[in-house]
Amino acid sequence: MPKGVVILKSIIHPDQALKQYLSHLSIPLSKPQQQHVLRIVEGLIVGNGRKTLSHLYAQWVDAPDASAVADFLRVSTWSEQSLDKRLGEINLADVIERVQRGGSSPVVYVSIDDSTSSKDKDTHALEGVDWQHDHNASGRNTPKYKKGMVHVSCRVQIGNHSVPFAYRLYLRAKTVRNLNRGRAKEERLRFQTKYQLVREMLQQLQPLLPKEWRVYVLFDSWYASAKLLKFVRRQGKRWFCLGAIKSNRILDGKRLSQWNKDLKHKHYDSVELKTVTGSKHTYLTRSITGRLNEVPFDVCVVISKRHPRDSHPKYYLCTDTSLSAAKILKRYSKRWSIETDYWYLKQCLGLGEFRVQHYEAIHKWYSLVHLALHFCMLNCAVLNRGMIHSFQLPK
């Protein structure tokens, strides 16, 4: 750095639109609590550098010591569950209102996925942070693990509008047992599988959607259980599953990998898909209709190859057997929006940079980071509608 050059400290100024948004949420918070929420969320969105509490509060001129905001997350009495529920419902209502004004009856895509916020392997004092299976680093027979916190997300896309709807923190059964050892009976946590968390979010979503709309629940192969397929089926005749599935699943008495071999002399259907970068790829597909083990209704399975000699094809299932292979693959590609959420949450908003120890404090941190994401998404929708000078909130 040249001698005599002074680096000015960045200072965050409160945004009036954010104040209006927080007021509209009608979450019962005291004035000091509201100030903490405002400082954290504003700092996450516009702050420079690390997103730790101490670094965020260092950029506010009138902010108290960082220990005060740590206490706000750790011991302050406010409900992160109420905030999460309100956020999902208010944004979904805004999307439904916009779509209905257009006079159409669109298709709803509900994307389900999970993500791990990574922590250092020596982390041991943060409740809920534990060893998690690393899907990206693991090989076919070489599982890899990393320390982190997992959350399961639900995102809703209706027409051209897409919003995050809900999330749930996931704890391993062993982690729950360890945390409960030091807790009073009324404070103990309840273990829930990822399927149970997904089911809880879908139950929250189902009554909020118009009954005449078709709904497709999108997921990867880790969620393609018979339990989830049957649960989605019970939500109504217009609810369907569409997702990836593993090659070892049994369809009409044969593994999907065996179906791929038996059909090798059959004709391929070419499907051209456009990626998010604008490039086009052609896939060779074959479709089978039958019944999976423990699933009492027909499903359509698509075998997709990148080229005729592809020895590791991908498999996709859909409970709407009226769809063609092309429509199944195109609709499955709509899952990509939930991956962009994870990128914003972890790379831009600092989801994994929490330092608070207690599980409840970590849950509150997750809620505030998701609040920042919801506010950013709403601002994007406002700007896209040409309402730059009249910030409006959904009723």
Side-chain angles (χ1 to χ4, degrees):
M1 184 185 299
K3 198 170 182 179
V5 174
V6 178
I7 301 299
L8 297 177
K9 176 182 175 180
S10 60
I11 299 175
I12 298 176
H13 181 74
D15 182 71
Q16 291 302 316
L18 178 58
K19 286 184 177 181
Q20 182 186 357
Y21 184 61
L22 293 178
S23 175
H24 181 74
L25 291 176
S26 301
I27 303 299
L29 297 172
S30 65
K31 189 172 181 180
Q33 289 174 333
Q34 292 176 12
Q35 289 299 316
H36 281 305
V37 172
L38 177 65
R39 292 189 185 105
I40 293 173
V41 174
E42 187 77 35
L44 290 172
I45 296 173
V46 303
N48 296 322
R50 303 294 298 274
K51 304 294 185 179
T52 60
L53 293 176
S54 57
H55 192 89
L56 293 178
Y57 267 49
Q59 298 179 70
W60 285 89
V61 174
D62 59 344
D65 187 77
S67 60
V69 69
D71 288 340
F72 162 70
L73 295 177
R74 183 172 56 89
V75 299
S76 184
T77 55
W78 60 280
S79 173
E80 64 275 16
Q81 289 90 350
S82 298
L83 174 60
D84 296 336
K85 184 179 179 182
R86 179 66 172 152
L87 282 173
E89 291 177 354
I90 197 173
N91 282 282
L92 181 63
D94 177 49
V95 168
I96 292 175
E97 181 184 343
R98 278 185 273 153
V99 171
Q100 289 179 329
R101 281 202 302 262
S104 61
S105 181
V107 176
V108 181
Y109 300 99
V110 182
S111 298
I112 301 295
D113 204 356
D114 60 77
S115 181
T116 303
S117 298
S118 302
K119 305 297 281 186
D120 186 82
K121 65 179 182 179
D122 295 323
T123 302
H124 64 277
L126 306 185
E127 294 183 353
V129 174
D130 207 342
W131 290 104
Q132 310 290 346
H133 184 260
D134 189 346
H135 305 299
N136 296 325
S138 298
R140 187 173 294 271
N141 297 309
T142 55
K144 300 290 184 181
Y145 299 88
K146 64 180 178 180
K147 276 281 184 77
M149 188 72 140
V150 176
H151 73 285
V152 183
S153 300
C154 173
R155 192 176 222 283
V156 179
Q157 180 174 344
I158 309 175
N160 295 322
H161 310 289
S162 181
V163 292
F165 175 70
Y167 80 94
R168 297 290 188 274
L169 292 182
Y170 168 75
L171 299 175
R172 297 168 55 204
K174 180 180 177 182
T175 306
V176 172
R177 289 195 298 268
N178 291 337
L179 293 179
N180 285 340
R181 288 194 184 104
R183 291 171 176 255
K185 186 175 181 179
E186 63 275 7
E187 297 177 348
R188 289 176 183 170
L189 304 172
R190 180 168 61 96
F191 170 69
Q192 290 180 286
T193 64
K194 290 182 179 179
Y195 159 71
Q196 290 172 324
L197 297 176
V198 170
R199 176 172 173 158
E200 194 176 87
M201 291 187 287
L202 293 179
Q203 286 174 328
Q204 179 186 345
L205 172 66
Q206 195 265 352
L208 303 177
L209 295 174
K211 292 183 179 180
E212 66 274 13
W213 289 4
R214 296 174 71 87
V215 180
Y216 289 87
V217 180
L218 312 179
F219 46 77
D220 61 21
S221 59
W222 295 94
Y223 289 91
S225 67
K227 283 183 179 180
L228 183 58
L229 298 184
K230 290 185 284 189
F231 172 76
V232 172
R233 177 88 163 193
R234 291 196 297 270
Q235 303 313 299
K237 62 181 181 180
R238 292 181 175 272
W239 280 64
F240 305 96
C241 286
L242 198 162
I245 188 172
K246 294 186 178 181
S247 61
N248 60 358
R249 296 292 291 274
I250 306 298
L251 181 77
D252 288 346
K254 283 195 293 188
R255 290 164 64 106
L256 294 180
S257 56
Q258 185 61 45
W259 276 107
N260 176 50
K261 295 176 182 178
D262 294 346
L263 297 175
K264 63 181 180 181
H265 299 299
K266 298 292 184 180
H267 174 70
Y268 286 112
D269 291 324
S270 297
V271 175
E272 185 178 79
L273 295 180
K274 192 174 183 180
T275 66
V276 292
T277 59
S279 60
K280 294 182 179 180
H281 292 280
T282 300
Y283 297 91
L284 306 178
T285 65
R286 295 188 177 106
S287 300
I288 323 162
T289 299
R291 294 197 174 186
L292 294 170
N293 274 9
E294 301 181 6
V295 178
F297 48 84
D298 287 349
V299 301
C300 178
V301 174
V302 176
I303 305 173
S304 174
K305 294 186 176 185
R306 294 166 294 178
H307 50 80
R309 295 181 179 273
D310 188 355
S311 58
H312 298 290
K314 301 296 183 183
Y315 301 87
Y316 303 92
L317 75 85
C318 183
T319 56
D320 183 358
T321 55
S322 66
L323 293 184
S324 65
K327 288 184 177 180
I328 289 174
L329 294 187
K330 288 177 181 178
R331 294 187 179 194
Y332 181 76
S333 66
K334 294 182 182 296
R335 281 189 66 251
W336 182 253
S337 59
I338 201 170
E339 300 294 344
T340 61
D341 279 356
Y342 292 147
W343 188 86
Y344 285 121
L345 286 168
K346 294 194 283 189
Q347 301 298 324
C348 302
L349 298 175
L351 182 65
E353 296 192 41
F354 57 89
R355 298 292 184 270
V356 287
Q357 295 185 4
H358 293 273
Y359 171 75
E360 287 76 12
I362 296 173
H363 197 169
K364 287 183 170 70
W365 168 263
Y366 267 69
S367 294
L368 295 179
V369 177
H370 278 83
L371 170 57
L373 177 66
H374 279 272
F375 178 70
C376 292
M377 294 291 179
L378 180 60
N379 265 287
C380 289
V382 168
L383 294 175
N384 288 337
R385 283 180 287 177
M387 297 162 54
I388 299 176
H389 300 294
S390 58
F391 183 85
Q392 297 181 12
L393 293 164
K395 298 179 180 179

